[in-house]
Amino acid sequence: MKELAKDYSIVPVQGIAEFIQDVRLRKISGSLKLASRTLRLLMDLVSKETWDTAEQLLALIRNQGRFLAEAIPHDIVVANTIRRVMKIVREEYDSSRVVHFDDGQSILSLHKLVTQGADPERDDYSKPMPGLKNALVDHLLEVETELETTGDSISAQAAEHIHSAELIMTIGYSRAVEKFLRKAAETRPIEVVVVECAPDCRGQQLAANLGRAKIQTTLISDAAIFAIMSRINKIIIGTHSVLANGGLQAVCGTYSLALSAKHFSVPVIVLAPTYKLTPVHLCNYEQGDFNILGNTEAVLPFESLAARFTKAYNPLFDYVPPELVTLFITNNGTNAPSYIYRLIGELYHPDDNQL
């Protein structure tokens, strides 16, 4: 706690304070918009701020990133994007060091790959590296393009997973799921059952959008999940984030949906862009660490007689353990929950798991 207290003296650079304010006022919402805006801020940090070595740049990104992550802790994609950029800084520095100090040979030999862990200079980022800034900007532009195409990359796989005349169930509203189902319906007839996800009932919006796209859609209440599950062929859902063990932080109601699916042996497919993969483990179910409590007016009106004697809670998220998930579809392909740790290892550096 003492170390965190020292960091509160850090002044955010231009743009970060406005970004935090916009997120808190819900002017910016949606994981993709949050990730894209965070990446744009970090690109400005790399290109416009003054730094001479990769070590100084990593310290700058870590300080500003910690300020961001602590200000909006429940939007995990923000911290994920910061970690991804820090891994890119390390990779570009290492590749530049190989080019400049290994006689121009950028391809490491097998012996060097085995012994590079013992290289004393491998984790030394204090040396100036010419051309590092330009290389970083180019790499971050590639990542920005990747972010923009994640939705298309995931929906392009729809034909491989949804077959003709299948009955698909989903819950709540997810832009990725809507795009995925629309893409599948272009080439084959499907029927979708949407769980409304009370008390916010955002599933109604998804059902209306699919209906306008001429997809046969049925809207059901959360209580009807188990009753209709025996007829379902597949469950396709989105998620708020994917934890390090392959578990989900998903919209409330997803856990009961996954349990019902397991009882009837219905596969659960999760659409998860790589920017939602996070190297965070579930510690407990407390609100401050994992969940957010929403307004309970829709569940128990404040003016009702029962509200005087009753405590009502409206958690926004459920934890879904990895054993209830069948398959993840990312913008890079499909993976089992047991492979998530490997994807996270490729995206983030272990030293950056704790900002």
Side-chain angles (χ1 to χ4, degrees), residues 76 239-243 247-251 290-291 317-320:
I76 296 181
T239 183
H240 183 71
S241 63
V242 180
L243 304 183
L248 307 179
Q249 183 185 13
V251 65
F290 177 79
N291 225 323
F317 299 119
D318 266 350
Y319 171 68
V320 181

Side-chain angles (χ1 to χ4, degrees), residues 151-191:
D152 295 331
S153 300
I154 291 176
S155 61
Q157 305 174 58
E160 303 173 17
H161 300 280
I162 298 180
H163 308 296
S164 181
E166 281 193 327
L167 185 59
I168 310 297
M169 178 180 280
T170 187
I171 184 170
Y173 178 77
S174 166
R175 292 183 181 90
V177 171
E178 180 183 348
K179 196 168 187 177
F180 194 83
L181 295 174
R182 282 172 175 263
K183 187 68 174 179
E186 290 178 0
T187 56
R188 63 208 62 192
I190 61 172
E191 185 177 349

